[in-house]
């Protein structure tokens, strides 16, 4: 680095062409991502007549009132609240149960430990579609259909295999002398877990929180089948019902989409490192 | 002995208390009725809101909560929602084994046998209201939206261009080419995007009804006559002919229903093949005047009008308020609501014996009213409200592929025939041969 | 009784075991009730003829499976999954690799590009579907409007309504929502590649393609198998984006196994047959995941 700073040779022409091509490509793909967003925003802030007359350009009048109208017509406040009500318990349940089981399977002695681990691992391979049909009747028979539990329970359960897999891998990687020291100080297993291991698991837990938050916030098929009442409907199915109902009303449907996207995108921009780590947690080894 | 009496007394007092509490609760809070609806045009929506407001004024103890869905959405959620105890009290859904029939046969709907007697519906409603909502021998629905299928035509364009309304099917086919030459969009412009193969399949019902005798069609619907018979294949070939003659918009299957209709309203397309149901979308902003006609006769067949019940009201089996729901339902088909349905929503309720000569409606709607009341020719079947769900799915999929040239008419016929056989095997078909 | 329990807990080893099980038990209970049991229940249902409502589920043995093999809709749906897996893997990985190599040595605005590329990844598939349904709108959508604005009217298609274009069009939407993920993972993998090797190759006169093929791709082997495994499973499970854009249409052109299963079981009420379809999907997923896990385990050690 230092040598590059001190000696600045004249760049040959080829360097600048390559540099230009490099940035050209990078910007091209950035536009590929951004232009659809731009059109969503433009469409959301036009009237339908303006869309028909000038589908591409900037909104001639920036109709921010469209957002308010979509918010009210689409009952988005209720759908947002419903999404929070189901997502928070799911994330808490998945993360705490995964930490417990992941820790148990990584560090505690018990017969059949690997067997149990593989048993959970099989769950990674079972797609939701393979269990969605009887799950409906099971949830009905235990009487939770028609409550938020109809989403919380199954979404938690299908998220556990990955959570356990992930937390077990994390806890396995921690050094043993930490636990040994704590045990000598008189901690029992739970004490070791709570006082020593859990505080170290911060980044892994954060990744798991993001991963599961996104998973249940974005879930669509599960609430489509199990959360039928409009009173319980979360944001994703709510948005689907809103945009297909107002299908030909493009400005309303894009305004609704914008309302749903904006908070997630804002949170992402604020915490992008955590988001990227959380969402790629399964693919990038921690 | 003594103790038993005391217990009994206590029980009676407790019961009385409960009733008293319930009574006051009922007096204070109106009964909440959840109503799932699929009425869509702006004016039609305003009309149903008015009808509900009038009803609530007359029945202050009942509150109607209306939620609007599309037919596709209702098919997605209705069965699972009702089984979950999360369904509505009353819903406006399509008739036939593919829609209400699935719910009725699953025991999820309230039998309306007693209500038909109590409210004298058999006399007041057209007979198909009962016939087409009877599943497994029990009537579950009250038919509404008496519809016919045919062509809307733009009178201004026809006059300006010196065009003649076609009087035969062949003229109709030729007209598609004429439209294109004059720079207009074809008559089957209406969007298919929302419904896959609905529109092209509906066109086929028309062609089928006009080229195959209705007894034969009825036998096919009842599973007693194969759908891949040569005469039915020939009717599919006529639809292929329409496609080849340029009667369909190339982008129709990606265009949404209302965008497709808009091509007609704005004069881009001089004709539109559609059910009379679409009258609800003719707003005052549309200034052109339209005519309505049914499919002109096909050589060798008799001109046949397809009539159907659009959607139907069902009361859900596990409703906690059957009385109130029935009261509301009876109001929806009352004389008082009738004028609102016709003038406001442009929907023709399936009620008999109403004189609508002084009603304030657009000429195109009056065309339809006169056509229906004056029709003495044969009446054909609209298949998908009579055929089972798996049949419909395959039909809608296959006709789209046929229009795209990916399937032949014979292959379509074989596919739908296989689905009908499967439905018959499972007892999911409607027996309309009687 | 209490004695034996006391004795049990007095035994240190047994007490340790009990603690271990106590950590695992809550997750295990949830998992068994809501994943394992339903899976076996699906197998049972797949052997019956049931409409979801009748009190009796008629046992029909393997009849549903016999019908499956003769069901062209299943094969067409599976072939769409297959296309989705191939195109939906190769394209975003190729884009991710390309951008990763471009950004490898760090350029000005690195954080900006990474933030932008990853942006669609945080969106729900539902939102991606709605956005692209609008993009592809034949009359007013930005794609056709742009084509018309530059005089390329002939290229303005009814994208999602054309049986030949609909599936590739949805896959493109999926790629838009997903390539940022591949890019970030590949970037992470590139950090582990030995720079000296590249420099040595440069000295040896290796050109860009040779460096890519002989050094970079082998160095990313682990990362690439991971991504492939991920996209594979996504490709088997894809539902949301298709249901939002085309519901499997036009015709059968975009039906995949998940949409077909949902349609059969919940919309047409063929619960038994739908369960058999679900089992087929489970099997496909099981086989692919098994490959994924064995690769992962091998790659890790």
């Amino acid at each position: 680095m230092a040598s590059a700073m001190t000696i600045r040779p004249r760049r040959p022409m080829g360097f600048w062409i390559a540099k230009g091509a490099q940035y050209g490509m990078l910007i091209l793909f950035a536009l590929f991502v951004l232009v659809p967003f731009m059109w969503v925003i433009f469409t959301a802030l036009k009237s339908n007549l303006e869309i028909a007359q000038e589908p591409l350009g900037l909104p001639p009048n920036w109709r921010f009132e469209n957002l308010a109208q979509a918010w009210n017509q689409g009952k988005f406040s209720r759908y947002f609240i419903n999404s929070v009500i189901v997502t928070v318990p799911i994330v808490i349940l998945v993360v705490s149960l995964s930490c417990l089981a992941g820790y148990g399977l990584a560090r505690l002695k018990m017969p059949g430990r690997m067997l149990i681990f593989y048993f959970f691992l099989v769950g990674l391979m079972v797609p939701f579609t393979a269990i969605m049909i009887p799950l409906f009747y099971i949830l009905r028979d235990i009487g939770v259909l028609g409550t938020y539990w109809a989403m919380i329970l199954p979404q938690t359960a299908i998220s556990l295999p990955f959570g356990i897999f992930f937390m077990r891998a994390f806890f396995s990687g921690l050094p043993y002398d930490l636990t040994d020291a704590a045990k000598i100080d008189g901690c029992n297993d739970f004490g070791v877990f709570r006082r020593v291991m859990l505080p170290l698991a911060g980044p892994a837990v954060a990744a798991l929180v993001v991963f599961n938050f996104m998973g249940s916030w974005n879930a669509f098929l599960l609430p489509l089948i199990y959360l039928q009442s409009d009173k319980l409907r979360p944001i994703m199915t709510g948005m689907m019902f809103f945009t297909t109902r107002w299908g030909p009303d493009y400005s309303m449907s894009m305004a609704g989409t914008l309302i749903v996207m904006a908070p997630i995108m804002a949170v992402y921009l604020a915490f992008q490192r955590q988001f990227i780590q959380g969402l790629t947690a399964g693919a990038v080894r921690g | 002995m003594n103790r038993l009496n005391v217990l009994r007394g206590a029980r009676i007092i407790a019961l009385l208390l409960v009733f008293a509490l319930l009574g006051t609760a009922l007096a204070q809070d109106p009964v909440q009725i959840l109503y799932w609806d699929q009425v869509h045009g702006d004016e039609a929506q305003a009309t149903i809101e008015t009808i509900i407001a009038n009803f609530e004024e007359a029945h202050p103890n009942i509150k109607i909560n209306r939620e609007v869905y599309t037919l596709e959405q209702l098919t997605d959620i209705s069965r699972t929602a009702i089984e979950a105890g999360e369904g509505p009290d009353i819903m406006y859904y399509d008739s036939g084994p593919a829609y209400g029939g699935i719910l009725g046969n699953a025991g999820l709907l309230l039998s309306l046998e007693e209500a038909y007697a109590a409210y004298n519906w058999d006399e007041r409603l057209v007979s198909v209201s009962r016939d087409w909502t009877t599943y497994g021998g029990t009537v579950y629905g009250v038919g509404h939206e008496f519809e016919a299928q045919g062509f809307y035509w733009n009178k201004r364009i026809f006059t300006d261009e010196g065009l003649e309304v076609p009087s035969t099917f062949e003229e109709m086919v030729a007209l598609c080419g004429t439209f294109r030459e004059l720079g207009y969009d074809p008559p089957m412009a209406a969007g298919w995007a929302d419904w896959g193969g609905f529109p092209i399949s509906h066109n086929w019902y028309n062609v089928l009804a006009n080229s195959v005798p209705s007894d034969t069609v009825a036998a096919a619907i009842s599973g007693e006559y194969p759908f891949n018979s040569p005469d039915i294949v020939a009717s599919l070939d006529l639809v292929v002919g329409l496609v080849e003659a340029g009667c369909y918009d190339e982008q129709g299957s990606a265009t949404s229903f209302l965008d497709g209709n808009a091509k007609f309203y704005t004069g881009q397309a001089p004709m539109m093949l559609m059910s009379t149901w679409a009258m609800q979308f003719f707003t005052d902003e549309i200034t052109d005047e339209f005519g309505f006609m049914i499919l002109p006769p096909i050589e060798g067949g008799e001109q046949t009008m397809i009539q159907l019940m659009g959607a139907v009201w069902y009361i859900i089996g596990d409703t906690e308020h059957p009385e109130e729901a029935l009261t509301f339902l009876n109001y929806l088909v009352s004389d008082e609501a009738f004028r609102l349905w016709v003038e406001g929503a442009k929907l023709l309720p399936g009620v008999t014996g109403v004189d609508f000569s002084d009603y304030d409606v657009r000429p195109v709607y009056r065309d339809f009213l006169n056509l229906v009341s004056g029709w003495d020719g044969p009446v054909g079947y609209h298949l998908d409200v009579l055929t089972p769900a798996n049949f419909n799915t395959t039909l809608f999929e296959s006709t789209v592929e046929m229009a795209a040239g990916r399937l032949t008419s014979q292959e379509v016929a074989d596919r739908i025939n296989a689905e009908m056989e499967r439905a018959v095997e499972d007892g999911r078909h409607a027996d309309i041969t009687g | 009784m209490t004695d034996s329990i006391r004795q049990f807990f007095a035994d240190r080893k047994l007490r340790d075991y009990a603690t271990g099980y106590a950590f695992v038990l809550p997750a295990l209970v949830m998992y068994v009730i809501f994943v394992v049991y339903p899976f076996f229940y699906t197998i049972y249902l797949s052997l019956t003829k049931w409409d979801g409502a009748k009190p009796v589920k008629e046992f029909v043995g393997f009849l549903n499976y016999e019908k499956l093999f003769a069901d062209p809709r299943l094969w067409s749906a599976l072939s769409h999954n297959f296309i989705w897996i191939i195109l939906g893997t190769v394209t975003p990985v190729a884009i991710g690799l390309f951008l990763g190599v471009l950004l490898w040595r760090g350029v000005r605005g690195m954080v900006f590009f990474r933030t932008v590329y990853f942006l669609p990844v945080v969106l729900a598939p539902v939102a991606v579907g709605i956005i692209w349904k609008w993009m592809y709108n034949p009359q007013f959508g930005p794609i056709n409007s742009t084509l018309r604005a530059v005089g390329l009217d002939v290229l303005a298609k009814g994208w999602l309504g054309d049986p030949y274009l609909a599936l590739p069009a949805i896959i493109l939407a999926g790629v838009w929502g997903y390539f940022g993920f591949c890019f970030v993972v590949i970037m992470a993998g590139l950090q582990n590649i030995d720079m000296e090797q590249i420099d040595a190759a440069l000295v040896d006169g290796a050109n860009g393609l040779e460096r890519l093929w002989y050094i970079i791709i082998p160095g990313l082997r682990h990362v690439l198998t991971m991504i492939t495994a991920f996209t594979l499973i996504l490709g088997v499970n894809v539902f949301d984006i298709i249901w939002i854009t085309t519901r499997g249409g036009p015709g059968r052109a975009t039906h995949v196994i998940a949409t077909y299963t949902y349609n059969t079981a919940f919309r047409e009420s063929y619960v038994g047959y739908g369960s058999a379809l679900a089992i087929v999907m489970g099997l496909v997923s099981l086989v692919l995941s098994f490959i994924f896990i064995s690769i992962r385990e091998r790659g890790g050690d």
Side-chain angles (χ1 to χ4, degrees), chain B residues 160-185:
Chain B
D160 289 356
E161 303 284 359
L163 297 170
E164 291 280 326
V165 176
S167 57
T168 64
F169 184 75
E170 289 69 27
E171 285 177 29
M172 170 80 239
V173 176
L175 203 52
C176 295
T178 313
F179 289 155
R180 297 229 172 206
E181 280 163 27
L182 294 169
Y184 289 110
D185 280 353

mmCIF file of all heavy atoms in Angstrom, chain B residues 160-185:
data_model
loop_
_atom_site.group_PDB
_atom_site.id
_atom_site.type_symbol
_atom_site.label_atom_id
_atom_site.label_comp_id
_atom_site.label_asym_id
_atom_site.label_seq_id
_atom_site.Cartn_x
_atom_site.Cartn_y
_atom_site.Cartn_z
ATOM 1 N N ASP B 160 -69.676 4.967 -37.531
ATOM 2 C CA ASP B 160 -68.599 5.699 -38.206
ATOM 3 C C ASP B 160 -67.951 4.880 -39.305
ATOM 4 O O ASP B 160 -67.626 5.401 -40.376
ATOM 5 C CB ASP B 160 -67.506 6.102 -37.196
ATOM 6 C CG ASP B 160 -67.990 7.200 -36.269
ATOM 7 O OD1 ASP B 160 -69.132 7.667 -36.484
ATOM 8 O OD2 ASP B 160 -67.236 7.567 -35.346
ATOM 9 N N GLU B 161 -67.707 3.618 -39.050
ATOM 10 C CA GLU B 161 -66.979 2.787 -39.998
ATOM 11 C C GLU B 161 -67.927 2.095 -40.979
ATOM 12 O O GLU B 161 -67.471 1.317 -41.826
ATOM 13 C CB GLU B 161 -66.148 1.728 -39.261
ATOM 14 C CG GLU B 161 -65.166 2.297 -38.253
ATOM 15 C CD GLU B 161 -63.929 2.895 -38.918
ATOM 16 O OE1 GLU B 161 -63.834 2.841 -40.161
ATOM 17 O OE2 GLU B 161 -63.069 3.443 -38.184
ATOM 18 N N GLY B 162 -69.218 2.314 -40.808
ATOM 19 C CA GLY B 162 -70.186 1.666 -41.695
ATOM 20 C C GLY B 162 -70.195 0.155 -41.566
ATOM 21 O O GLY B 162 -70.293 -0.560 -42.565
ATOM 22 N N LEU B 163 -70.059 -0.326 -40.338
ATOM 23 C CA LEU B 163 -70.012 -1.775 -40.126
ATOM 24 C C LEU B 163 -71.409 -2.308 -39.803
ATOM 25 O O LEU B 163 -72.265 -1.590 -39.281
ATOM 26 C CB LEU B 163 -69.063 -2.110 -38.984
ATOM 27 C CG LEU B 163 -67.588 -1.739 -39.196
ATOM 28 C CD1 LEU B 163 -66.820 -1.901 -37.887
ATOM 29 C CD2 LEU B 163 -66.990 -2.609 -40.277
ATOM 30 N N GLU B 164 -71.611 -3.574 -40.148
ATOM 31 C CA GLU B 164 -72.875 -4.245 -39.836
ATOM 32 C C GLU B 164 -72.670 -5.171 -38.654
ATOM 33 O O GLU B 164 -71.650 -5.843 -38.554
ATOM 34 C CB GLU B 164 -73.327 -5.085 -41.044
ATOM 35 C CG GLU B 164 -73.771 -4.271 -42.245
ATOM 36 C CD GLU B 164 -75.198 -3.768 -42.076
ATOM 37 O OE1 GLU B 164 -76.011 -4.477 -41.462
ATOM 38 O OE2 GLU B 164 -75.481 -2.648 -42.553
ATOM 39 N N VAL B 165 -73.656 -5.214 -37.774
ATOM 40 C CA VAL B 165 -73.590 -6.195 -36.686
ATOM 41 C C VAL B 165 -73.703 -7.587 -37.314
ATOM 42 O O VAL B 165 -74.595 -7.821 -38.136
ATOM 43 C CB VAL B 165 -74.741 -5.960 -35.700
ATOM 44 C CG1 VAL B 165 -74.749 -7.024 -34.626
ATOM 45 C CG2 VAL B 165 -74.608 -4.572 -35.088
ATOM 46 N N PRO B 166 -72.777 -8.496 -36.993
ATOM 47 C CA PRO B 166 -72.777 -9.798 -37.676
ATOM 48 C C PRO B 166 -74.033 -10.613 -37.344
ATOM 49 O O PRO B 166 -74.486 -10.626 -36.210
ATOM 50 C CB PRO B 166 -71.523 -10.483 -37.136
ATOM 51 C CG PRO B 166 -71.253 -9.820 -35.840
ATOM 52 C CD PRO B 166 -71.720 -8.408 -35.989
ATOM 53 N N SER B 167 -74.558 -11.261 -38.370
ATOM 54 C CA SER B 167 -75.755 -12.066 -38.126
ATOM 55 C C SER B 167 -75.455 -13.562 -38.198
ATOM 56 O O SER B 167 -76.299 -14.378 -37.904
ATOM 57 C CB SER B 167 -76.843 -11.697 -39.135
ATOM 58 O OG SER B 167 -76.347 -11.875 -40.436
ATOM 59 N N THR B 168 -74.225 -13.914 -38.631
ATOM 60 C CA THR B 168 -73.829 -15.324 -38.576
ATOM 61 C C THR B 168 -72.435 -15.402 -37.958
ATOM 62 O O THR B 168 -71.711 -14.405 -37.895
ATOM 63 C CB THR B 168 -73.734 -15.955 -39.979
ATOM 64 O OG1 THR B 168 -72.693 -15.278 -40.702
ATOM 65 C CG2 THR B 168 -75.043 -15.831 -40.738
ATOM 66 N N PHE B 169 -72.102 -16.589 -37.526
ATOM 67 C CA PHE B 169 -70.785 -16.821 -36.929
ATOM 68 C C PHE B 169 -69.681 -16.501 -37.940
ATOM 69 O O PHE B 169 -68.656 -15.916 -37.583
ATOM 70 C CB PHE B 169 -70.694 -18.284 -36.477
ATOM 71 C CG PHE B 169 -69.420 -18.632 -35.768
ATOM 72 C CD1 PHE B 169 -69.210 -18.213 -34.455
ATOM 73 C CD2 PHE B 169 -68.439 -19.386 -36.399
ATOM 74 C CE1 PHE B 169 -68.037 -18.532 -33.789
ATOM 75 C CE2 PHE B 169 -67.258 -19.701 -35.725
ATOM 76 C CZ PHE B 169 -67.057 -19.275 -34.429
ATOM 77 N N GLU B 170 -69.914 -16.861 -39.195
ATOM 78 C CA GLU B 170 -68.915 -16.623 -40.234
ATOM 79 C C GLU B 170 -68.657 -15.126 -40.398
ATOM 80 O O GLU B 170 -67.512 -14.695 -40.546
ATOM 81 C CB GLU B 170 -69.360 -17.245 -41.561
ATOM 82 C CG GLU B 170 -69.309 -18.772 -41.594
ATOM 83 C CD GLU B 170 -70.336 -19.443 -40.696
ATOM 84 O OE1 GLU B 170 -71.398 -18.838 -40.429
ATOM 85 O OE2 GLU B 170 -70.074 -20.562 -40.227
ATOM 86 N N GLU B 171 -69.724 -14.340 -40.366
ATOM 87 C CA GLU B 171 -69.554 -12.890 -40.453
ATOM 88 C C GLU B 171 -68.748 -12.363 -39.257
ATOM 89 O O GLU B 171 -67.943 -11.448 -39.380
ATOM 90 C CB GLU B 171 -70.921 -12.195 -40.482
ATOM 91 C CG GLU B 171 -71.642 -12.315 -41.815
ATOM 92 C CD GLU B 171 -73.018 -11.668 -41.774
ATOM 93 O OE1 GLU B 171 -73.204 -10.698 -40.988
ATOM 94 O OE2 GLU B 171 -73.910 -12.124 -42.498
ATOM 95 N N MET B 172 -69.035 -12.975 -38.132
ATOM 96 C CA MET B 172 -68.324 -12.610 -36.905
ATOM 97 C C MET B 172 -66.821 -12.822 -37.083
ATOM 98 O O MET B 172 -65.998 -11.953 -36.757
ATOM 99 C CB MET B 172 -68.876 -13.500 -35.777
ATOM 100 C CG MET B 172 -68.142 -13.474 -34.489
ATOM 101 S SD MET B 172 -68.610 -12.032 -33.543
ATOM 102 C CE MET B 172 -67.008 -11.278 -33.400
ATOM 103 N N VAL B 173 -66.468 -14.018 -37.603
ATOM 104 C CA VAL B 173 -65.049 -14.335 -37.811
ATOM 105 C C VAL B 173 -64.424 -13.338 -38.792
ATOM 106 O O VAL B 173 -63.329 -12.815 -38.559
ATOM 107 C CB VAL B 173 -64.893 -15.786 -38.336
ATOM 108 C CG1 VAL B 173 -63.430 -16.085 -38.641
ATOM 109 C CG2 VAL B 173 -65.421 -16.779 -37.303
ATOM 110 N N ALA B 174 -65.160 -13.046 -39.854
ATOM 111 C CA ALA B 174 -64.633 -12.125 -40.865
ATOM 112 C C ALA B 174 -64.428 -10.730 -40.272
ATOM 113 O O ALA B 174 -63.473 -10.028 -40.615
ATOM 114 C CB ALA B 174 -65.592 -12.061 -42.054
ATOM 115 N N LEU B 175 -65.326 -10.351 -39.354
ATOM 116 C CA LEU B 175 -65.249 -9.030 -38.756
ATOM 117 C C LEU B 175 -63.935 -8.817 -38.002
ATOM 118 O O LEU B 175 -63.390 -7.713 -37.961
ATOM 119 C CB LEU B 175 -66.445 -8.849 -37.811
ATOM 120 C CG LEU B 175 -66.907 -7.431 -37.482
ATOM 121 C CD1 LEU B 175 -67.143 -6.632 -38.755
ATOM 122 C CD2 LEU B 175 -68.171 -7.487 -36.646
ATOM 123 N N CYS B 176 -63.409 -9.919 -37.416
ATOM 124 C CA CYS B 176 -62.148 -9.802 -36.664
ATOM 125 C C CYS B 176 -61.048 -9.263 -37.582
ATOM 126 O O CYS B 176 -60.274 -8.390 -37.188
ATOM 127 C CB CYS B 176 -61.724 -11.162 -36.105
ATOM 128 S SG CYS B 176 -62.859 -11.831 -34.878
ATOM 129 N N GLY B 177 -61.007 -9.797 -38.826
ATOM 130 C CA GLY B 177 -60.010 -9.317 -39.783
ATOM 131 C C GLY B 177 -60.262 -7.866 -40.155
ATOM 132 O O GLY B 177 -59.316 -7.072 -40.262
ATOM 133 N N THR B 178 -61.537 -7.529 -40.320
ATOM 134 C CA THR B 178 -61.883 -6.148 -40.674
ATOM 135 C C THR B 178 -61.399 -5.173 -39.605
ATOM 136 O O THR B 178 -60.821 -4.129 -39.914
ATOM 137 C CB THR B 178 -63.413 -6.023 -40.832
ATOM 138 O OG1 THR B 178 -63.878 -7.100 -41.629
ATOM 139 C CG2 THR B 178 -63.787 -4.700 -41.460
ATOM 140 N N PHE B 179 -61.652 -5.526 -38.353
ATOM 141 C CA PHE B 179 -61.201 -4.664 -37.251
ATOM 142 C C PHE B 179 -59.708 -4.407 -37.349
ATOM 143 O O PHE B 179 -59.223 -3.291 -37.211
ATOM 144 C CB PHE B 179 -61.501 -5.296 -35.895
ATOM 145 C CG PHE B 179 -62.957 -5.312 -35.536
ATOM 146 C CD1 PHE B 179 -63.449 -6.261 -34.643
ATOM 147 C CD2 PHE B 179 -63.841 -4.389 -36.062
ATOM 148 C CE1 PHE B 179 -64.782 -6.281 -34.305
ATOM 149 C CE2 PHE B 179 -65.182 -4.406 -35.730
ATOM 150 C CZ PHE B 179 -65.657 -5.358 -34.847
ATOM 151 N N ARG B 180 -58.972 -5.476 -37.586
ATOM 152 C CA ARG B 180 -57.507 -5.348 -37.640
ATOM 153 C C ARG B 180 -57.091 -4.437 -38.790
ATOM 154 O O ARG B 180 -56.207 -3.601 -38.635
ATOM 155 C CB ARG B 180 -56.861 -6.722 -37.801
ATOM 156 C CG ARG B 180 -57.141 -7.627 -36.619
ATOM 157 C CD ARG B 180 -55.879 -8.267 -36.127
ATOM 158 N NE ARG B 180 -56.143 -8.987 -34.882
ATOM 159 C CZ ARG B 180 -55.216 -9.231 -33.958
ATOM 160 N NH1 ARG B 180 -53.990 -8.803 -34.147
ATOM 161 N NH2 ARG B 180 -55.514 -9.879 -32.870
ATOM 162 N N GLU B 181 -57.755 -4.631 -39.946
ATOM 163 C CA GLU B 181 -57.418 -3.796 -41.097
ATOM 164 C C GLU B 181 -57.674 -2.322 -40.804
ATOM 165 O O GLU B 181 -56.946 -1.448 -41.258
ATOM 166 C CB GLU B 181 -58.250 -4.208 -42.326
ATOM 167 C CG GLU B 181 -57.710 -5.441 -43.029
ATOM 168 C CD GLU B 181 -58.747 -6.048 -43.959
ATOM 169 O OE1 GLU B 181 -59.622 -5.300 -44.448
ATOM 170 O OE2 GLU B 181 -58.681 -7.275 -44.182
ATOM 171 N N LEU B 182 -58.733 -2.061 -40.034
ATOM 172 C CA LEU B 182 -59.065 -0.681 -39.718
ATOM 173 C C LEU B 182 -58.231 -0.125 -38.560
ATOM 174 O O LEU B 182 -58.384 1.026 -38.169
ATOM 175 C CB LEU B 182 -60.554 -0.575 -39.354
ATOM 176 C CG LEU B 182 -61.544 -0.874 -40.496
ATOM 177 C CD1 LEU B 182 -62.949 -1.003 -39.967
ATOM 178 C CD2 LEU B 182 -61.486 0.220 -41.557
ATOM 179 N N GLY B 183 -57.362 -0.980 -38.003
ATOM 180 C CA GLY B 183 -56.481 -0.504 -36.935
ATOM 181 C C GLY B 183 -57.062 -0.604 -35.545
ATOM 182 O O GLY B 183 -56.559 0.011 -34.601
ATOM 183 N N TYR B 184 -58.118 -1.384 -35.394
ATOM 184 C CA TYR B 184 -58.701 -1.569 -34.055
ATOM 185 C C TYR B 184 -58.165 -2.842 -33.406
ATOM 186 O O TYR B 184 -57.618 -3.727 -34.070
ATOM 187 C CB TYR B 184 -60.222 -1.675 -34.152
ATOM 188 C CG TYR B 184 -60.912 -0.390 -34.507
ATOM 189 C CD1 TYR B 184 -61.513 -0.228 -35.750
ATOM 190 C CD2 TYR B 184 -60.964 0.653 -33.599
ATOM 191 C CE1 TYR B 184 -62.148 0.949 -36.093
ATOM 192 C CE2 TYR B 184 -61.605 1.840 -33.931
ATOM 193 C CZ TYR B 184 -62.187 1.990 -35.183
ATOM 194 O OH TYR B 184 -62.821 3.150 -35.494
ATOM 195 N N ASP B 185 -58.392 -2.936 -32.104
ATOM 196 C CA ASP B 185 -58.058 -4.169 -31.402
ATOM 197 C C ASP B 185 -59.171 -5.194 -31.639
ATOM 198 O O ASP B 185 -60.318 -4.831 -31.885
ATOM 199 C CB ASP B 185 -57.904 -3.889 -29.900
ATOM 200 C CG ASP B 185 -56.542 -3.292 -29.584
ATOM 201 O OD1 ASP B 185 -55.703 -3.240 -30.506
ATOM 202 O OD2 ASP B 185 -56.323 -2.872 -28.446
#
